[in-house]
Structure formats: C-alpha cells, structure tokens
Amino acid sequence: PEGVFKLPPLGYDYDALEPFIDAETMKIHHDKHHAAYVSKLNQAIVGAPGFEKKKIEEILINLGAVPEAVRKDIRNQGGGHANHSLFWQTLKKNENGKPTGELARAIDANFGSYDKFQEAFIAAATKVFGSGWAWLVWKDKKLVIDSTANQDSPYSTGGVPLLGIDVWEHAYYLKYQNRRAEYVDAFMNVINWPHVQRLFERVAR
C-alpha cells in the first residue's frame, strides 16, 4: 500500500558501479532491503500522528519527541530509510576520485590530508562490530569520522551525514562474502565527491 514515505529511485543502472559493487547486490539492496525499511516505516508512523508530515531527517534529529510505543521502530526503520537515501546519492563510479574545492580544503584542515582521511575512514568502517555504518559527518562546525550501529543515524547525535558506507553484510556479501576490508577498499572508488561537496557547502556556510 502507498505510504507517506517513498522509496527513492536509485538514479542509475544496477551495474553502474561494476566491478566495485556488483549489479545483483545493488538490485537486492535497493529494491528489497531499502524498500522494506520504507514499508515498515510507513507502518510505524501510523502510531505517531502528525509525524507523517515531517521529513525523516527532522524526526531523527528529535527522536525523543516520538511516542515511546513506536520510537524504536521509527529509529530503526526511519534510520534505514534516511541512511540508504543518502547512500545511493553519494555513489558514482569514480575510480581514484578525490574531493576538490572547499571540501578538499576542509578535509586537509581536519584530517591532515586526503590520504589520512581515507585511512581513518577505512579503519572506522572496518572496525564496526556487526552491522552498521561509518560516516563523514559535519558536527560542531567541523568534519569528523564517526560510526553507528545498525541503522542509527548521525542526525540523532547532532551531526549531519555527508558520506556513509553501509557495512551491513547485505551491502557486500554476494561479491565479497566475509571480506569486508576488500569491500571497504573498493568503496573508495565509487564515491560521488561532487555530491558530497554540495552537501558540505550547504551545511558549512
């Protein structure tokens, strides 16, 4: 049934990120996993009258205002929806791509260099225990690397996510099996840095 929250289109072909992320994974990840978060979010939001009028990001920023009976479901399903909606937009086949402009300068200022940022981001993604995400986040007027468990969102802890890597097994297992480190390395070749730059410019000014 139709609900207030919608599954956004992927925006490109399933095989657009080959060979780094395979077409079958993209198809299942978007069409099945993300769709399930949207469906369950629409079921949960019925128990929070008035919240269906808000953007999911607004809801995640102030989860304490959500009725307790559905708060956990909205945290999990809403986080899954928000996280994946950002994820698809920040992916693009971009082998050896790097940030430019203001974002590049901010990364140099906050991490020392792009190479040091990459090392720290890869380490954060590799070390996530179980299922979760690693993030580049704008928080307290600076760039930070963070990680969250399950489908928790940086929005809920005062940050604005600019880039995230999904390290749930559903994001990589068909191609990489248990070799998460290989998937994380491959991910660095499919970052849509121009889009991340636009997100950064929106929040940093």
Side-chain angles (χ1 to χ4, degrees):
E2 284 292 303
V4 292
F5 295 101
K6 309 292 184 185
L7 178 68
L10 189 58
Y12 38 82
D13 293 336
Y14 298 122
D15 64 357
L17 308 177
E18 293 271 11
F20 304 106
I21 302 179
D22 60 290
E24 187 65 14
T25 292
M26 292 298 292
K27 180 178 175 62
I28 294 171
H29 197 172
H30 177 268
D31 295 5
K32 301 298 183 183
H33 289 283
H34 189 175
Y37 289 121
V38 173
S39 175
K40 291 174 183 176
L41 174 59
N42 281 323
Q43 294 171 29
I45 207 72
V46 173
F51 282 82
E52 76 282 354
K53 299 174 184 176
K54 298 178 181 287
K55 292 182 178 180
I56 189 57
E57 294 82 3
E58 295 178 70
I59 296 172
L60 294 171
I61 286 169
N62 190 17
L63 276 171
V66 176
E68 189 174 356
V70 293
R71 189 180 303 154
K72 183 178 179 180
D73 284 343
I74 289 177
R75 171 183 172 180
N76 292 337
Q77 310 305 334
H81 176 42
N83 292 347
H84 284 89
S85 295
L86 174 65
F87 188 61
W88 311 130
Q89 294 174 8
T90 55
L91 297 181
K92 175 185 178 182
K93 193 169 181 180
N94 191 18
E95 195 165 356
N96 299 315
K98 292 183 178 181
T100 59
E102 291 181 32
L103 177 59
R105 289 189 286 274
I107 284 175
D108 288 347
N110 285 274
F111 304 107
S113 68
Y114 174 73
D115 288 344
K116 289 180 179 178
F117 154 75
Q118 185 171 248
E119 289 174 14
F121 188 80
I122 287 172
T126 305
K127 292 175 183 176
V128 170
F129 182 76
S131 299
W133 295 72
W135 302 96
L136 176 64
V137 179
W138 179 253
K139 188 174 183 179
D140 298 327
K141 297 186 177 181
K142 63 182 179 180
L143 292 173
V144 297
I145 290 171
D146 200 2
S147 61
T148 56
N150 301 313
Q151 292 297 353
D152 286 352
S153 167
Y155 283 115
S156 301
T157 53
V160 178
L162 305 177
L163 172 69
I165 176 171
D166 186 347
V167 291
W168 283 62
E169 287 186 344
H170 66 233
Y172 63 88
Y173 209 81
L174 288 181
K175 182 176 178 68
Y176 295 99
Q177 288 81 49
N178 63 326
R179 303 186 305 277
R180 181 193 288 184
E182 287 184 31
Y183 158 69
V184 174
D185 285 342
F187 176 85
M188 303 309 294
N189 293 291
V190 293
I191 298 173
N192 185 349
W193 282 116
H195 186 73
V196 179
Q197 164 97 18
R198 289 190 290 272
L199 296 176
F200 170 74
E201 291 175 350
R202 195 180 302 164
V203 297
R205 289 178 176 170

Short mmCIF file of all heavy atoms in Angstrom, two decimals, residues 9 87 89 150 152 165 170 180 182:
data_model
loop_
_atom_site.label_atom_id
_atom_site.label_comp_id
_atom_site.label_asym_id
_atom_site.label_seq_id
_atom_site.Cartn_x
_atom_site.Cartn_y
_atom_site.Cartn_z
N PRO A 9 14.17 6.59 -6.27
CA PRO A 9 14.79 5.83 -7.35
C PRO A 9 16.29 5.74 -7.13
O PRO A 9 16.90 6.63 -6.51
CB PRO A 9 14.46 6.65 -8.60
CG PRO A 9 14.20 8.03 -8.10
CD PRO A 9 13.61 7.88 -6.73
N PHE A 87 22.91 7.21 0.88
CA PHE A 87 23.88 6.27 0.32
C PHE A 87 23.82 6.24 -1.20
O PHE A 87 24.85 6.38 -1.88
CB PHE A 87 23.60 4.88 0.91
CG PHE A 87 24.62 3.82 0.58
CD1 PHE A 87 25.94 3.94 0.97
CD2 PHE A 87 24.23 2.66 -0.09
CE1 PHE A 87 26.86 2.94 0.70
CE2 PHE A 87 25.14 1.65 -0.36
CZ PHE A 87 26.45 1.79 0.04
N GLN A 89 22.74 8.40 -3.30
CA GLN A 89 23.12 9.67 -3.92
C GLN A 89 24.63 9.89 -3.91
O GLN A 89 25.15 10.64 -4.74
CB GLN A 89 22.44 10.83 -3.18
CG GLN A 89 20.94 10.86 -3.31
CD GLN A 89 20.31 11.93 -2.44
OE1 GLN A 89 21.00 12.75 -1.84
NE2 GLN A 89 18.99 11.93 -2.36
N ASN A 150 23.89 -0.63 13.62
CA ASN A 150 22.61 -0.94 12.97
C ASN A 150 22.21 0.16 12.00
O ASN A 150 22.97 0.50 11.11
CB ASN A 150 21.56 -1.24 14.04
CG ASN A 150 21.97 -2.40 14.92
OD1 ASN A 150 22.40 -3.43 14.41
ND2 ASN A 150 21.87 -2.25 16.22
N ASP A 152 21.24 3.30 13.09
CA ASP A 152 21.26 4.58 13.78
C ASP A 152 21.82 5.66 12.85
O ASP A 152 22.67 5.39 11.99
CB ASP A 152 22.08 4.50 15.06
CG ASP A 152 21.37 3.73 16.16
OD1 ASP A 152 20.18 3.41 15.98
OD2 ASP A 152 22.00 3.46 17.19
N ILE A 165 29.24 4.72 4.52
CA ILE A 165 29.41 3.40 3.92
C ILE A 165 28.63 2.39 4.75
O ILE A 165 28.77 2.31 5.97
CB ILE A 165 30.90 2.99 3.81
CG1 ILE A 165 31.02 1.56 3.26
CG2 ILE A 165 31.65 3.16 5.14
CD1 ILE A 165 32.43 1.14 2.92
N HIS A 170 24.45 -7.30 3.95
CA HIS A 170 23.65 -7.26 2.73
C HIS A 170 24.24 -6.31 1.69
O HIS A 170 23.89 -6.37 0.52
CB HIS A 170 22.18 -6.91 3.02
CG HIS A 170 21.92 -5.54 3.56
ND1 HIS A 170 21.20 -5.32 4.72
CD2 HIS A 170 22.24 -4.31 3.09
CE1 HIS A 170 21.10 -4.03 4.93
NE2 HIS A 170 21.73 -3.39 3.96
N ARG A 180 35.10 -8.01 4.35
CA ARG A 180 34.64 -6.63 4.45
C ARG A 180 35.73 -5.63 4.04
O ARG A 180 35.44 -4.63 3.40
CB ARG A 180 34.15 -6.31 5.86
CG ARG A 180 33.63 -4.88 5.98
CD ARG A 180 33.44 -4.42 7.41
NE ARG A 180 32.30 -5.05 8.06
CZ ARG A 180 31.91 -4.75 9.28
NH1 ARG A 180 32.57 -3.84 9.99
NH2 ARG A 180 30.86 -5.37 9.83
N GLU A 182 37.98 -5.76 1.82
CA GLU A 182 38.05 -5.61 0.36
C GLU A 182 36.93 -4.72 -0.15
O GLU A 182 37.13 -3.87 -1.03
CB GLU A 182 38.00 -6.98 -0.34
CG GLU A 182 39.25 -7.80 -0.19
CD GLU A 182 39.16 -9.09 -0.99
OE1 GLU A 182 38.47 -9.10 -2.04
OE2 GLU A 182 39.76 -10.10 -0.56
#
